Amino acid sequence: MTTTQKVVLLACGSFNPPTNMHLRMFELAKDHLHRTGKYNVIAGIMSPVMDSYGKKELESSKHRCAMVSLALKSAKWVRLDTWETEQTSWMRTRLVLDHHQQMLDNQSNMAALVKEAPSKKRRKDKQNEEVITNCDNKEACEPEQAPVQLKLLCGGDLLESFAVPGLWADEDIEEIVGKYGLVCITRNGSDPRKFIYESDILTRHQDNIHIVTEWITNEVSSTKIRRALRRNESVKYLVQDTVIEYIKEHGLYGTGDKKQSLL
């Protein structure tokens, strides 16, 4: 019987706000990896970037985390992780991956930790480590099974950004792609295979890059959602209703001074 590699998918981003396409990416990646017969996706993590990232129109991590949590209410195997937002400075993607891989590697110590009276910090660590213990496939989550591999879930735009001079350190790209691997969801007009071909580093690790084509095209983006909100246009069916209600309640993205129903 062939043993499949257990995988946890990590998506880093602003999630400003989280859209249905952010959620859809996890489903596409899971289906693709399962079809290979080599992988068993047991969990997913959404990790919002911290406030000092400095991106234009970036809402506070308090609001973004709340929206991600609401968006994931119906998701059985994807969860929010707030560790990145709690750091004192912006964290490179490689370091975020290193942190979560370490958390996954520490799963074998969970039984010993549970036996002790947990301190506040340990309760927080335990919450962050529950990514495996809360997954659907209980057999795959057993600590005595093979180690879990973390993979970075991203859109084609992130892969293309590797080619922007000075944006990524070569050693970070090497570590991200070589050690962890990418699951890249393509968008209309994007040709990720071309960027792999044009990069020596990506070509060297191309077997660790999974290109997933979204045939049911959906060009929803957080930027377009924010623009629609500023213009008092409906975003229903593009964003979870619970997130729309939160945006309306807190007056985010220029909606605070508008008497409107975003639903």
Side-chain angles (χ1 to χ4, degrees):
M1 181 178 178
T2 303
T3 302
T4 56
Q5 171 66 57
K6 291 184 294 183
V7 170
V8 170
L9 298 169
L10 172 67
C12 299
S14 299
F15 306 119
N16 185 43
T19 72
N20 288 345
M21 189 57 197
H22 288 132
L23 308 181
R24 176 76 178 148
M25 287 174 61
F26 282 93
E27 296 295 326
L28 291 168
K30 183 178 182 180
D31 285 348
H32 171 84
L33 292 177
H34 284 182
R35 279 196 299 268
T36 68
K38 300 178 181 179
Y39 304 99
N40 179 19
V41 178
I42 62 172
I45 303 171
M46 292 180 70
S47 177
V49 72
M50 69 175 306
D51 292 342
S52 65
Y53 183 60
K55 190 173 183 179
K56 185 180 179 180
E57 298 181 321
L58 185 68
E59 280 291 350
S60 70
S61 58
K62 172 185 174 181
H63 287 312
R64 289 182 290 112
C65 287
M67 288 187 287
V68 170
S69 181
L70 289 169
L72 292 175
K73 285 292 186 181
S74 62
K76 296 181 179 180
W77 60 280
V78 184
R79 63 179 286 273
L80 163 71
D81 189 276
T82 62
W83 178 83
E84 190 176 351
T85 68
E86 296 163 357
Q87 303 312 299
T88 56
S89 61
W90 172 71
M91 303 293 291
R92 305 195 323 268
T93 301
R94 172 187 174 182
L95 299 180
V96 179
L97 284 161
D98 287 345
H99 163 77
H100 286 287
Q101 186 63 64
Q102 183 63 53
M103 298 297 284
L104 295 175
D105 292 343
N106 287 341
Q107 286 300 313
S108 59
N109 298 325
M110 281 295 294
L113 290 174
V114 170
K115 292 179 181 179
E116 301 178 21
S119 63
K120 182 176 180 180
K121 181 179 184 302
R122 280 180 177 156
R123 286 197 299 271
K124 180 64 177 177
D125 289 344
K126 180 181 177 182
Q127 180 186 16
N128 287 338
E129 289 175 342
E130 283 177 348
V131 60
I132 294 182
T133 58
N134 285 340
C135 72
D136 288 340
N137 188 337
K138 296 302 181 183
E139 181 180 353
C141 297
E142 290 300 324
E144 65 269 21
Q145 300 287 322
V148 178
Q149 181 181 13
L150 188 68
K151 287 187 178 296
L152 181 63
L153 174 62
C154 66
D157 52 343
L158 184 141
L159 188 67
E160 294 173 10
S161 73
F162 286 160
V164 178
L167 186 60
W168 294 84
D170 285 348
E171 57 268 27
D172 279 6
I173 299 176
E174 186 87 40
E175 181 86 357
I176 291 170
V177 184
K179 178 179 178 180
Y180 297 106
L182 296 177
V183 183
C184 178
I185 312 297
T186 64
R187 288 188 175 184
N188 189 33
S190 174
D191 187 3
R193 292 175 178 82
K194 176 187 176 189
F195 285 90
I196 293 174
Y197 171 77
E198 293 177 346
S199 166
D200 290 340
I201 295 177
L202 298 182
T203 297
R204 185 159 58 249
H205 299 291
Q206 60 184 315
D207 291 342
N208 212 19
I209 303 175
H210 298 267
I211 304 298
V212 184
T213 301
E214 167 58 296
W215 297 108
I216 307 174
T217 57
N218 186 338
E219 295 304 306
V220 174
S221 70
S222 295
T223 300
K224 293 178 180 178
I225 294 297
R226 294 195 301 273
R227 183 181 300 127
L229 292 171
R230 287 197 305 270
R231 296 176 180 178
N232 197 22
E233 297 172 351
S234 172
V235 294
K236 188 174 178 63
Y237 306 122
L238 302 176
V239 178
Q240 295 287 298
D241 285 351
T242 51
V243 174
I244 297 175
E245 289 286 3
Y246 185 93
I247 291 171
K248 179 180 178 181
E249 177 184 354
H250 294 274
L252 306 182
Y253 309 117
T255 64
D257 56 351
K258 300 174 182 177
K259 294 181 179 180
Q260 63 178 335
S261 175
L262 302 177
L263 289 170

